[in-house]
Amino acid sequence: MNSPSGQFNRTDFGHEVYDSWYLEHARHNFEARDFIEKHIPFYEKALQLSKNDNILEAGCGIGSYSREFVRHGYHVIGMDLSPNFLSEAREVTQRENLEIEFILGDYNEMSFEEKFSVIFFEGSFFYKSREGLVSLLTRIHKALTPKGRLYFEHPNQSKIVDGFPMANLSEIEKDVFVLQTGEYDENDNGSRNTWLKIDIKTQEHYKCDFFLKYLSPDAIKNCLAAAGFRDFHFYKKRRLEDFDPENDNGFSLVAKK
């Protein structure tokens, strides 16, 4: 049904409208194989990967990282909350004659018990509050086998504000626009983001609002400890050198159970 002029249908991650836009227009740089492949040696060393590891890629999207791990001989399960992304992931994986199990699920609600030796996030580690982060980390801790490892990358809270406000207007096709905006909320230490799809001709308009929380490295340490992690290391993003909180825009983190 067409929405009246000036009004927006709601959409979100996992919705066909948002996901189809991402699959066509937004995935290419981050999902590029050469970008992923060049960082595999970092993941291997930082996580001390073994061919015996059972890896969960949480928020796997279309499975680009999962496939690269499998190409390097690792066993991976991919999980995402979008059936659209998983459909694409399965299609590409089958076309490349790779074997990966993909499961539909929200990592914020995972209920595995000591199933994975590695839980891996790349560009998909999001939370809305400190309490939400502790809850997520607690679920991850429970899902890891003894001596299991967690990996995620994260912006440096003290630097991320420099990237706001942000706005990007892009014409996709005639009379159809996508507008992305983001503002940093200093009171809540996070970004408030809006994605709009505006079809001038048909008046089918869609809107997605989402909030991303950014805790400081010290606050993240406290959340990790509260979830049961006792051993963690902050690296420069996708590099083996130590993270410099004064100068680096973000970090990669490995936490051990």
Side-chain angles (χ1 to χ4, degrees):
M1 178 182 295
N2 292 357
S3 58
S5 179
Q7 296 188 15
F8 289 84
N9 298 308
R10 303 298 303 178
T11 186
D12 204 346
F13 305 107
H15 188 286
E16 183 178 359
V17 170
Y18 181 88
D19 290 355
S20 63
W21 166 80
Y22 179 87
L23 289 172
E24 185 174 357
H25 298 282
R27 77 186 193 185
H28 304 296
N29 291 334
F30 185 69
E31 304 278 1
R33 184 176 175 185
D34 58 348
F35 177 85
I36 300 169
E37 189 174 23
K38 71 180 181 181
H39 294 117
I40 292 293
F42 164 73
Y43 302 137
E44 290 178 321
K45 292 178 181 177
L47 285 162
Q48 299 178 321
L49 291 181
S50 160
K51 296 302 191 289
N52 294 323
D53 278 319
N54 189 28
I55 302 172
L56 172 69
E57 186 191 357
C60 69
I62 62 172
S64 300
Y65 286 82
S66 293
R67 283 189 293 276
E68 197 59 44
F69 278 121
V70 168
R71 292 187 193 105
H72 283 75
Y74 298 103
H75 178 263
V76 184
I77 292 175
M79 179 174 69
D80 202 274
L81 58 74
S82 167
N84 307 299
F85 287 175
L86 292 183
S87 178
E88 176 81 359
R90 293 184 180 107
E91 180 180 331
V92 176
T93 301
Q94 184 177 18
R95 189 164 64 239
E96 296 185 8
N97 294 315
L98 299 174
E99 293 188 9
I100 304 173
E101 179 184 0
F102 292 104
I103 57 177
L104 180 66
D106 183 347
Y107 57 67
N108 285 291
E109 298 177 0
M110 71 169 73
S111 58
F112 306 111
E113 293 190 27
E114 295 192 353
K115 181 174 177 63
F116 302 100
S117 55
V118 174
I119 295 180
F120 175 90
F121 295 79
E122 183 58 78
S124 59
F125 190 80
F126 304 123
Y127 54 95
K128 297 180 180 180
S129 66
R130 183 190 184 282
E131 294 74 19
L133 176 58
V134 172
S135 176
L136 170 58
L137 291 172
T138 301
R139 290 176 182 272
I140 291 170
H141 190 272
K142 186 177 181 180
L144 286 170
T145 58
K147 299 183 180 180
R149 291 89 74 203
L150 160 68
Y151 169 87
F152 62 85
E153 54 89 16
H154 194 282
N156 185 0
Q157 183 200 56
S158 65
K159 297 291 184 180
I160 194 170
V161 68
D162 296 339
F164 291 92
M166 69 175 188
N168 177 41
L169 177 64
S170 58
E171 183 176 356
I172 296 176
E173 57 189 41
K174 186 177 180 181
D175 297 326
V176 178
F177 298 88
V178 166
L179 173 65
Q180 298 179 90
T181 64
E183 295 184 355
Y184 193 80
D185 185 338
E186 293 189 8
N187 293 324
D188 212 2
N189 292 321
S191 62
R192 301 194 179 278
N193 307 275
T194 300
W195 178 89
L196 305 175
K197 181 179 180 181
I198 304 168
D199 190 320
I200 298 172
K201 185 175 181 179
T202 67
Q203 293 298 301
E204 290 181 334
H205 301 345
Y206 292 88
K207 182 178 183 181
C208 174
D209 294 309
F210 55 97
F211 174 77
L212 302 177
K213 183 80 169 179
Y214 301 109
L215 291 174
S216 70
D218 285 342
I220 290 174
K221 289 179 184 178
N222 291 336
C223 291
L224 286 163
F229 290 95
R230 295 291 179 265
D231 183 0
F232 33 85
H233 191 95
F234 289 74
Y235 295 95
K236 292 182 184 294
K237 189 178 288 188
R238 306 182 191 96
R239 294 166 55 187
L240 287 172
E241 295 93 337
D242 289 341
F243 166 63
D244 179 359
E246 298 297 322
N247 297 299
D248 292 339
N249 291 327
F251 56 83
S252 290
L253 183 138
V254 174
K256 298 180 182 179
K257 185 171 180 178

